[in-house]
């Protein structure tokens, strides 16, 4: 069974703080994704990583960076958190990136920036 | 509950009835579609998919219908059960990209 875990379920941070969201998958997947999910909007891709140390910007990368030092771990970094980054953050992983490969999602981290 | 569902349309269905959840997709070039189920406090879970060369696909108690003419996707759940209560959303993509366009979702409430 594929398992994607996220380090925190709920997180409260102050404006200007540096925030790290961690994601770990246990299925040796090449590809990992960070999305944010907001009321009234569909999931939006922040960053994608297709290998260790390799990354691509998604649709809304502004204000975020990522790190992938090990295959199983993909970190999302908010360099200076702002209130408009209050959201649900979802990590996903997949073996491949074509339609034949399902994305498996973690349970999400609800981040509140005050 | 999760605030992700606060602004969602809601479908209330009696237990045992059939549910139909609809999705209008945006890109006429999309050739692959997925339905996800997201229970409160959990990440999205794959339910069923369909490719654009098909009109209908059936799974266990679920059926997806695709109407490319009007860019419409529907998910039918037979004999809806309390465990089906969740947010359901569709996603579309096309060959040549790893990116998906995700719908905003519908909350399904199953009434006992």
């Amino acid at each position: 069974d594929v398992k994607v875990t996220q380090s925190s379920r709920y997180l409260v941070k102050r404006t200007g703080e540096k925030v790290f969201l961690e994601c770990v998958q246990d299925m040796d997947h090449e590809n990992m994704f960070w999305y944010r999910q907001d009321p009234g909007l569909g999931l939006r891709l922040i960053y994608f990583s297709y290998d260790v140390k390799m990354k691509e910007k998604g649709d809304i990368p502004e204000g975020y960076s990522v790190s992938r030092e090990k295959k199983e771990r993909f970190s999302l970094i908010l360099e200076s958190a702002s209130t408009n980054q209050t959201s649900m953050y979802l990590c996903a992983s997949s073996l491949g990136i074509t339609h034949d490969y399902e994305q498996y999602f973690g349970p999400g981290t609800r981040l509140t920036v005050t | 509950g999760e605030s992700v569902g606060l602004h969602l349309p809601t479908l209330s269905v009696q237990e045992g009835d059939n549910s139909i959840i609809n999705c209008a997709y945006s890109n006429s070039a999309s050739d692959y579609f997925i339905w996800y189920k997201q229970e409160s406090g959990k990440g999205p879970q794959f339910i069923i998919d369909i490719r654009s060369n098909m009109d209908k696909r059936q799974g266990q108690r679920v059926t997806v219908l695709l109407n490319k003419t009007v860019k419409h996707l529907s998910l039918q759940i037979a004999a809806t059960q309390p465990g089906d209560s969740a947010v359901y959303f569709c996603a579309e993509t096309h060959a040549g990209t790893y990116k998906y366009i995700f719908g905003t979702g519908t909350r399904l409430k199953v009434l006992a």
Side-chain angles (χ1 to χ4, degrees):
Chain A
D1 233 12
V2 175
K3 197 166 184 185
V4 180
T5 56
Q6 295 182 229
S7 52
S8 304
R9 297 301 303 275
Y10 298 93
L11 213 49
V12 180
K13 296 291 182 181
R14 293 192 182 276
T15 302
E17 277 192 87
K18 190 168 186 175
V19 182
F20 293 85
L21 303 183
E22 305 286 339
C23 175
V24 177
Q25 50 93 4
D26 66 359
M27 284 302 290
D28 203 35
H29 284 175
E30 302 290 337
N31 307 287
M32 297 186 75
F33 307 80
W34 274 108
Y35 295 93
R36 63 178 283 175
Q37 185 177 35
D38 299 289
L41 299 174
L43 271 69
R44 291 179 292 167
L45 181 65
I46 304 172
Y47 265 97
F48 161 59
S49 171
Y50 52 92
D51 202 348
V52 173
K53 297 191 188 294
M54 307 304 287
K55 62 187 179 186
E56 277 192 19
K57 292 181 180 179
D59 298 317
I60 50 163
E62 296 79 19
Y64 304 95
S65 61
V66 291
S67 172
R68 189 147 180 223
E69 297 296 319
K70 293 185 177 180
K71 193 175 186 180
E72 67 271 19
R73 187 179 298 270
F74 191 32
S75 302
L76 180 70
I77 304 155
L78 287 67
E79 295 290 342
S80 177
S82 63
T83 54
N84 64 13
Q85 292 178 309
T86 291
S87 186
M88 170 71 86
Y89 290 88
L90 290 163
C91 175
S93 74
S94 68
L95 186 59
I97 59 170
T98 67
H99 303 168
D100 300 310
Y101 299 98
E102 180 181 341
Q103 287 191 27
Y104 295 87
F105 287 87
T109 295
R110 171 144 314 270
L111 172 66
T112 302
V113 183
T114 62
Chain B
E2 295 292 340
S3 64
V4 69
L6 277 180
H7 304 290
L8 296 177
T10 298
L11 174 67
S12 296
V13 174
Q14 206 68 37
E15 182 179 354
D17 286 353
N18 296 335
S19 303
I20 300 176
I21 300 170
N22 297 303
C23 175
Y25 65 92
S26 58
N27 188 351
S28 55
S30 292
D31 60 6
Y32 179 69
F33 307 86
I34 301 175
W35 276 102
Y36 286 96
K37 174 185 181 182
Q38 188 173 17
E39 296 176 88
S40 183
K42 296 184 179 180
Q45 180 183 9
F46 172 97
I47 304 172
I48 191 167
D49 60 358
I50 188 167
R51 296 183 188 274
S52 60
N53 59 356
M54 303 172 71
D55 297 320
K56 179 179 179 178
R57 188 155 189 237
Q58 286 183 287
Q60 190 174 16
R61 278 201 310 118
V62 294
T63 300
V64 55
L65 299 178
L66 176 62
N67 185 331
K68 295 180 287 292
T69 303
V70 295
K71 293 192 288 185
H72 184 267
L73 199 63
S74 69
L75 177 71
Q76 300 178 0
I77 304 173
T80 312
Q81 302 169 0
D84 295 326
S85 293
V87 172
Y88 292 82
F89 58 88
C90 63
E92 60 180 293
T93 189
H94 59 85
T97 182
Y98 59 84
K99 293 184 179 181
Y100 287 80
I101 300 172
F102 293 87
T104 55
T106 297
R107 176 178 295 285
L108 176 65
K109 285 188 177 179
V110 181
L111 308 172

